[in-house]
Amino acid sequence: MKEELSILVQAQYPLIYLVTSEEERAEQAIATIAQMRPQRRVFVWTVTQGMVEFGQPRSVQHNTVSPQAAIEWAMNRQQRDPQRDSSIFIFKDLHPFFNDPQTTRWLRDAIASFKGTQKSIILMSPVQTIPIELEKEVVVLDFPLPDMAELNQVLTQQLEQGGRGRKVSTEAREKLLRAALGLTKDEAEKVYRKAQVTAGRLTEAEVDIVLSEKKQIIRRNGILEYIEEDETIDAVGGLEELKKWLMQRSNAFTERAREYGLPQPKGMLILGVPGCGKSLIAKTTSRLWGLPLLRLDMGRVYDGSMVGRSEANLRNALKTAESISPAILFIDELDKAFAGSAGSADSDGGTSSRIFGSFLTWMQEKTSPVFVMATANRVERLPGEFLRKGRFDEIFFVDLPNAEERQEIFKIHLTKRRRDVARFDLDQLAKVSDGFSGAEIEQALVAAMYEAFAQEREFTQLDIIAAIKATQPLSRTMTEQVTALRDWARQRARPAAASVAEYQRMEF
Ligand SMILES: Nc1ncnc2c1ncn2[C@@H]1O[C@H](COP(=O)(O)OP(=O)(O)OP(=O)(O)O)[C@@H](O)[C@H]1O
Ligand SMILES: [Mg+2]
C-alpha cells in the first residue's frame, strides 16, 4: 500500500487524496518518496501557517494562508523557477474549504497547469470528502496503518529507552509486534510504553498487556468491537453441516494452505430463523480458527454530523480489520445494517447506498485475509447483491432444530447449568418443544429454574414441560414469515443442519 503511494507520486499523478489521521507518518513517507529519483521538494500547507517547505520550519511563504493563494502559489512556482518544476504540495485539511467554489476551481486550474510538469498536489485529511468537480481528477488512497517493520522500529526505540530487557527473543518480538498490529504509530508507542511502565520490562509476558490495551483502543473508536467468546463450538447444538464446513477451514489462513494452492476464504452468510444459534456459532468460530473476532457495528458507522463522516468510519474500521488480519469480521444482522440501502428512496442523501457500495467494493477487492462472517434473518430486506454467487463463499440456512437437535440443545444447556442430564427424559422434552428455537428452549429452561428456585426446590422435568407449554414459540406466532424464509432458503442457501439436507433431498 505504501508502494502504491510511491508509484502514484512517481508516476506524477497531479492530484492524490490521502486519507489518514497520521499526518506525521504520512508526511515522512512522502518525504522519503521525494528523496527518490527524480528528487523533488516537498511543501506543506496548513491554514495556520500557509505554505512551508518540509523540514525547513522557517521557510514560511508569505501570503499563502488562504487556500486560493496557496494553490495559486503552487501553480505559479514553475514560471519563476523552471528547473525545480517537480515539487510536491501537501495540503493538510483542505476539505472544509471545498464548499467554496473558488477553492475547487483553483485546484482544477492548478492540475491543468501541472500537465507536462512533475508537480503534484496531495490532499491529506482524516476524512474523505471529494467535491464532485474533482471526482474525475483525483486518486484516493488510504494511508495504511503501520506494518510489522514499522512497528519494529517503534518497539526497538521503546526497548532502548527502557534500557533493560533489550535482549528480547525473536519470537517474543514478533508476538509483541503482532499484538500491536492495527494501531497507529502513536498508539503503538503509547501501548508499548504503558506495558513497559506497568511491568517494568517488555518481554513475551507483556504481550497480554499490549493486547488488552489494543482492545481498549479499538473499543474506543466505537465502530469495531473486539469480541472474546468463551463458548466453544460444542456449545452449539445441531448445525452439523455448518460445523463441518467451519472445521474444514480451521487452517485455511495458514501459510500451508496457500502453499497447497487453496484460495483464501472470503466470507460466509448465515441466514435463518431467529434464536437458532447464528450469532452464537459465528462467535465461536473465532476460537475454532484461533483468529481474533472483530464485530463491525454498522449502526455506529452511520454518522450524519458531517459529510463523508460515515464513509470515513467504515474505511477506518476496515483498515483496522485488515491490519489485524488474519481476522474474522463479524457483521451481525446484516439485513438491518444495510436495509434499504439498495432501495430507491434515499432519505439520507445517498449515504447508506454509498456505504453499501464501498462495503461491496471492499469485499470484492480485498486481498487481505479478513473473513467476513455475516448473519441475517430477513432475506427480503437484504440487498440482492449480497446473495449473488461469489460474493460469499457460502450462504447457509439455519432452520429450527429438529427433535434430535432439540435433545442436544437441552443437553447443552442443562450441562451448562451443572445439572445431571440423566435425571431428565430428553426424548420427551424434545417432543413437547416442537417448533421451538434454541433460544426459546434455553428460555423455557431458565423459566423452569426460576419457578422452582422461588419455591426453594430443585427443578424437574415437569417444571420444564410446564414452561414449554406456557411459551408461544415464534414459529407459531410468526408462521408466515418463518415459512416464507424457509421456502426462499430451500432454493438458494445451503442447509446448516444435515437433517435439513435430507429433508431437502426428499422434496426435490
Ligand atoms: N443451536 C443452539 N445450540 C445451543 N444453544 C442455542 C442454539 N441456538 C440458540 N441457542 C441459545 O440461544 C441464544 C441466542 O441464540 P443466537 O443469538 O445465536 O440466535 P440468532 O440465530 O443469532 O438469533 P437472531 O436471528 O435473533 O439474532 C444463544 O446464545 C444460545 O444460548
Ligand atoms: Mg443473532
Side-chain angles (χ1 to χ4, degrees):
M1 275 299 239
K2 197 96 112 321
E3 292 88 73
E4 212 174 325
L5 177 63
S6 173
I7 291 167
L8 290 180
V9 172
Q10 288 188 300
Q12 288 145 25
Y13 272 68
L15 188 62
I16 301 168
Y17 198 125
L18 193 62
V19 188
T20 181
S21 51
E22 293 187 274
E23 287 185 344
E24 206 189 307
R25 241 186 93 230
E27 267 176 78
Q28 278 298 345
I30 295 168
T32 311
I33 295 166
Q35 293 298 309
M36 296 190 243
R37 289 187 169 272
Q39 254 193 31
R40 302 163 76 176
R41 290 171 77 181
V42 179
F43 293 90
V44 183
W45 176 88
T46 52
V47 75
T48 43
Q49 299 241 304
M51 208 47 108
V52 179
E53 182 158 11
F54 181 81
Q56 323 259 315
R58 276 192 290 272
S59 67
V60 183
Q61 304 299 322
H62 293 289
N63 300 325
T64 52
V65 165
S66 95
Q68 288 95 323
I71 300 167
E72 190 183 3
W73 181 86
M75 226 171 112
N76 291 336
R77 262 187 67 76
Q78 86 196 94
Q79 275 129 33
R80 276 185 234 141
D81 199 355
Q83 294 95 333
R84 289 188 173 155
D85 212 6
S86 61
S87 312
I88 298 170
F89 307 96
I90 302 174
F91 282 80
K92 286 190 191 169
D93 289 340
L94 190 65
H95 64 276
F97 299 97
F98 289 157
N99 305 332
D100 181 356
Q102 294 215 19
T103 309
T104 47
R105 187 63 245 175
W106 270 112
L107 268 177
R108 293 185 75 176
D109 288 351
I111 301 159
S113 79
F114 287 180
K115 294 240 162 69
T117 75
Q118 298 182 355
K119 297 206 282 192
S120 32
I121 287 180
I122 299 180
L123 304 172
M124 193 190 286
S125 156
V127 292
Q128 183 193 328
T129 36
I130 299 171
I132 193 152
E133 299 91 323
L134 295 174
E135 253 168 25
K136 291 256 183 305
E137 330 262 0
V138 70
V139 207
V140 183
L141 196 67
D142 252 310
F143 192 62
L145 290 163
D147 57 13
M148 296 276 274
E150 275 182 279
L151 288 174
N152 196 18
Q153 288 172 6
V154 178
L155 180 60
T156 307
Q157 224 172 39
Q158 190 55 44
L159 285 169
E160 274 164 12
Q161 274 169 21
R164 278 166 300 155
R166 214 173 301 170
K167 272 176 268 136
V168 185
S169 72
T170 322
E171 290 100 60
R173 190 177 267 273
E174 192 178 325
K175 280 184 189 157
L176 283 166
L177 294 176
R178 210 167 274 290
L181 277 178
L183 300 179
T184 64
K185 194 175 161 207
D186 287 346
E187 286 167 344
E189 237 164 56
K190 272 184 218 138
V191 165
Y192 285 141
R193 201 178 317 131
K194 176 151 183 200
Q196 191 155 37
V197 169
T198 314
R201 54 180 195 171
L202 255 179
T203 65
E204 191 164 341
E206 279 68 62
V207 170
D208 281 343
I209 305 182
V210 175
L211 267 180
S212 74
E213 278 298 303
K214 173 162 87 174
K215 280 169 199 165
Q216 279 193 26
I217 289 171
I218 288 175
R219 211 164 280 148
R220 222 177 299 140
N221 93 7
I223 292 154
L224 280 184
E225 187 190 348
Y226 214 111
I227 294 189
E228 276 156 298
E229 177 62 47
D230 296 327
E231 301 286 5
T232 65
I233 200 156
D234 296 328
V236 190
L239 315 185
E240 289 310 322
E241 279 291 305
L242 175 52
K243 283 183 190 166
K244 205 167 92 194
W245 194 93
L246 291 171
M247 282 188 229
Q248 268 183 350
R249 281 159 185 77
S250 315
N251 293 317
F253 289 103
T254 56
E255 211 37 58
R256 211 153 47 82
R258 292 296 83 68
E259 276 164 22
Y260 194 86
L262 280 170
Q264 219 146 235
K266 283 183 287 196
M268 76 188 306
L269 173 60
I270 310 176
L271 286 172
V273 183
C276 287
K278 297 185 297 294
S279 303
L280 182 62
I281 200 157
K283 283 190 261 176
T284 58
T285 306
S286 158
R287 275 192 111 187
L288 184 70
W289 288 0
L291 298 182
L293 184 73
L294 300 164
R295 200 169 84 101
L296 175 62
D297 189 340
M298 284 307 294
R300 298 205 191 148
V301 165
Y302 293 105
D303 180 343
S305 69
M306 214 172 89
V307 181
R309 187 63 211 238
S310 311
E311 283 93 330
N313 284 345
L314 182 68
R315 275 165 168 279
N316 282 336
L318 296 177
K319 195 150 89 171
T320 308
E322 287 191 326
S323 56
I324 297 175
S325 68
I328 303 172
L329 185 68
F330 175 39
I331 309 176
D332 210 11
E333 312 190 335
L334 188 71
D335 43 347
K336 294 199 186 105
F338 290 110
S341 40
S344 44
D346 249 329
S347 52
D348 57 359
T351 304
S352 54
S353 44
R354 273 205 308 277
I355 291 283
F356 173 62
S358 340
F359 183 75
L360 277 186
T361 315
W362 174 80
M363 262 191 82
Q364 194 81 28
E365 291 173 0
K366 79 181 155 68
T367 49
S368 52
V370 176
F371 185 83
V372 177
M373 197 152 206
T375 75
N377 48 39
R378 302 279 297 269
V379 225
E380 74 281 3
R381 294 211 316 217
L382 211 56
E385 283 89 335
F386 278 127
L387 305 168
R388 212 169 282 153
K389 266 266 172 272
R391 197 72 75 184
F392 291 101
D393 295 314
E394 193 67 85
I395 300 177
F396 274 102
F397 173 62
V398 176
D399 205 347
L400 288 168
N402 65 13
E404 201 184 312
E405 291 171 319
R406 289 197 297 277
Q407 281 203 30
E408 212 183 305
I409 295 171
F410 271 113
K411 206 154 125 193
I412 287 169
H413 286 288
L414 283 166
T415 315
K416 203 162 142 186
R417 289 161 182 85
R418 299 186 305 279
R419 291 312 195 279
D420 180 10
V421 179
R423 258 179 50 213
F424 299 88
D425 179 353
L426 296 180
D427 195 35
Q428 189 191 24
L429 290 179
K431 275 204 187 94
V432 289
S433 59
D434 188 27
F436 275 55
S437 69
E440 285 159 346
I441 289 175
E442 186 183 12
Q443 275 159 20
L445 191 60
V446 172
M449 287 175 78
Y450 268 119
E451 186 66 37
F453 182 70
Q455 299 171 22
E456 297 184 28
R457 58 177 177 82
E458 175 59 356
F459 70 99
T460 64
Q461 176 92 2
L462 287 178
D463 290 315
I464 306 176
I465 294 177
I468 291 171
K469 295 258 149 104
T471 312
Q472 272 291 348
L474 212 66
S475 63
R476 240 168 271 157
T477 53
M478 293 172 55
T479 320
E480 273 171 39
Q481 257 131 312
V482 175
T483 317
L485 179 61
R486 278 180 167 167
D487 286 344
W488 183 94
R490 207 175 289 161
Q491 296 173 30
R492 276 163 268 210
R494 176 161 163 189
S499 53
V500 189
E502 281 153 31
Y503 164 72
Q504 273 198 344
R505 247 172 266 135
M506 277 159 49
E507 291 272 300
F508 295 102

